[in-house]
Amino acid sequence: MSTSSADQPVTPPRRPRLSVEELIRAKNARPIRSLADLEAMSSDIFESDEELDEFLAFTYAERHRDVA
C-alpha cells in the first residue's frame, strides 16, 4: 500500500530567522524615548484621545508602582 503526495502534510517554506536588530533595521523602527515621541505617533496607534490618555496614565502608574 502506498500513499499519494496528497496524503502528505504541507509544510510552509522556512523563513530565515532574523535578529531583533535586523528586524528593527528592516522596519526602520526607532525606540520611543519619551512620552512626547509616543504622543506624536499616537494618531497611528490609538483610536481616540481618551484611549491614549488611559494608556499614558497606566504606563506612568506602572513605572512608578514600586517607587516609594
Side-chain angles (χ1 to χ4, degrees), residues 2-17:
S2 66
T3 59
S4 69
S5 63
D7 295 335
Q8 300 295 324
V10 177
T11 57
R14 291 187 62 151
R15 294 187 300 183
R17 289 190 165 220

Side-chain angles (χ1 to χ4, degrees), residues 10-67:
V10 177
T11 57
R14 291 187 62 151
R15 294 187 300 183
R17 289 190 165 220
L18 301 175
S19 70
V20 171
E21 290 81 11
E22 290 168 323
L23 291 170
I24 289 171
R25 276 195 300 274
K27 296 280 187 180
N28 197 24
R30 297 175 326 199
I32 298 171
R33 300 200 186 277
S34 69
L35 289 177
D37 288 350
L38 182 60
E39 189 173 15
M41 61 186 200
S42 67
S43 62
D44 296 332
I45 299 170
F46 300 101
E47 293 182 12
S48 68
D49 288 344
E50 291 79 21
E51 189 177 4
L52 171 61
D53 290 341
E54 288 174 15
F55 175 77
L56 294 176
F58 170 80
T59 302
Y60 181 86
E62 286 297 303
R63 288 184 175 176
H64 294 90
R65 177 174 42 144
D66 296 328
V67 178

